[in-house]
Every structure is written in C-alpha cells, then in structure tokens.
Amino acid sequence: MALVTMTEASRLIGKSKQTLYRHVSSGRVSRNSDGFLDTAELIRVYGELKQNTTSKVTKTSVPVVQVERSHIEWLEKQVDGGLGTI
C-alpha cells in the first residue's frame, strides 16, 4: 500500500498528530525506519481511512500519464502474442 507522512496519516485516521505520535511511541502502530507510515498498518489499527481531500504527493504516488491509442493497441498485440512495433 501507500506510504504517507505522519501529517497525512493523522488526516486519514481523523486523529491529531500528537495522538498518532503517542500511538507510535506505545507500539500500537508502527512506522517505517524512514518515518513513513504504511496505509495498510493504519487500516489494521484504525479501520477504514477517511477520504483524502488533499492533493499532496505521497512517497508512492505515480504521475498520471496519457497513453496514445496506438500504444494501447501495440500492448494488446503483445499480450495476444503479436509482434507489433510502435
């Protein structure tokens, strides 16, 4: 799953950063050695996450790329065993 900062994690779980830090200190929730929290860990501890309404980029965010239709057709041929070229 995605890795998020403590600030973003506090938004996703609907708790203050201070509460989240306290839960990390007590061992209730764990975070990675780089300081990020895995959303899977947040779900395990707090249940369903709140909708993310910010546009901040997380560590695992991937930019949206538009793909040409010709590229999609070429990929479909590759999957079907064809040897198309772009």
Side-chain angles (χ1 to χ4, degrees):
M1 295 222 125
L3 298 176
V4 295
T5 64
M6 291 290 278
T7 300
E8 186 63 19
S10 70
R11 285 188 202 120
L12 290 171
I13 64 172
K15 299 196 181 297
S16 70
K17 283 195 304 185
Q18 292 80 10
T19 297
L20 187 54
Y21 276 108
R22 197 168 44 252
H23 290 173
V24 168
S25 287
S26 70
R28 180 174 178 193
V29 63
S30 61
R31 70 178 179 173
N32 296 344
S33 59
D34 60 4
F36 287 90
L37 292 113
D38 193 319
T39 54
E41 174 70 356
L42 297 177
I43 292 169
R44 180 189 72 79
V45 175
Y46 302 105
E48 187 175 345
L49 302 178
K50 298 190 180 315
Q51 182 65 28
N52 182 2
T53 57
T54 66
S55 60
K56 289 212 172 206
V57 177
T58 61
K59 189 173 182 180
T60 57
S61 293
V62 178
V64 176
V65 179
Q66 290 188 347
V67 179
E68 298 281 333
R69 180 67 194 154
S70 61
H71 293 153
I72 293 171
E73 291 168 354
W74 179 81
L75 288 169
E76 287 172 343
K77 286 180 185 177
Q78 294 299 310
V79 170
D80 292 337
L83 296 174
T85 58
I86 298 180

